[in-house]
């Protein structure tokens, strides 16, 4: 059996991922009026509450260089390429978050490892939603 890394990388989706669906499932009972993947906003946030001026990004730990165990793991082959790619992703993320601050919006980043504790994540999401309009 041969391992085709290109085929594996092509299969990685940017929309409708498992972590994204899980975050939406947590948001739906609390505040259902969101939109997905608004192309007119910087970085095409995964979830947008326009009235609350809140953009939520659901990031994969590996792809965005999170400091958890999965995000810190580096492939054993082509290490220089992956280090540069993840560094570019992190720089792009920082630029995107700065753009939201300039627009007067709030941006929340949820990493996939945070889905392990759904109760804590639900509380964090509710707090972010309440930050714009007081108590829900």
């Amino acid at each position: 059996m041969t391992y085709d890394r290109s085929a594996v990388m092509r299969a990685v989706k940017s929309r409708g991922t498992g972590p994204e669906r899980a975050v939406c499932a947590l948001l739906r009972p609390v505040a259902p009026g969101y939109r997905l993947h608004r192309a007119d906003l910087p970085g095409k946030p995964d979830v947008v509450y326009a009235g609350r001026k809140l953009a939520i990004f659901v990031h994969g730990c590996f792809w965005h260089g999170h400091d958890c165990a999965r995000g810190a793991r580096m492939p054993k082959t082509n290490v220089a390429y992956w280090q540069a790619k993840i560094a570019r992703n992190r720089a792009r993320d920082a630029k995107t978050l700065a753009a939201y601050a300039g627009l007067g919006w709030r941006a929340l980043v949820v990493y996939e490892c945070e889905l392990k504790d759904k109760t804590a994540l639900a509380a964090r999401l509710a707090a972010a939603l309440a930050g714009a309009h007081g108590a829900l």
Side-chain angles (χ1 to χ4, degrees):
M1 179 171 131
T2 61
Y3 179 75
D4 184 11
R5 184 173 303 273
S6 294
V8 171
M9 300 314 285
R10 276 192 305 272
V12 175
K13 300 184 298 181
S14 63
R15 295 175 155 209
T17 63
E20 182 182 309
R21 289 192 317 266
V23 168
C24 288
L26 292 173
L27 289 168
R28 207 168 293 118
V30 179
Y34 57 82
R35 293 221 10 231
L36 300 175
H37 310 290
R38 290 257 316 253
D40 60 330
L41 291 172
K44 284 189 193 175
D46 298 303
V47 180
V48 175
Y49 286 96
R52 301 170 192 256
K53 290 192 171 188
L54 175 65
I56 301 173
F57 293 90
V58 182
H59 285 342
C61 293
F62 170 75
W63 297 103
H64 296 271
H66 190 226
D67 59 359
C68 68
R70 184 172 186 150
R73 191 182 77 217
M74 192 58 56
K76 291 179 175 42
T77 58
N78 209 1
V79 175
Y81 167 80
W82 287 109
Q83 286 175 335
K85 172 147 185 67
I86 292 169
R88 287 191 311 271
N89 289 350
R90 292 185 78 161
R92 185 188 64 229
D93 293 343
K95 182 179 172 185
T96 299
L97 294 178
Y100 280 96
L103 292 171
W105 280 57
R106 293 172 304 127
L108 178 68
V109 176
V110 175
Y111 287 98
E112 68 179 317
C113 65
E114 293 179 75
L115 290 166
K116 292 176 185 174
D117 186 355
K118 288 191 180 345
T119 305
L121 179 56
R124 184 171 168 234
L125 292 168
L129 288 164
H133 279 57
L136 292 176

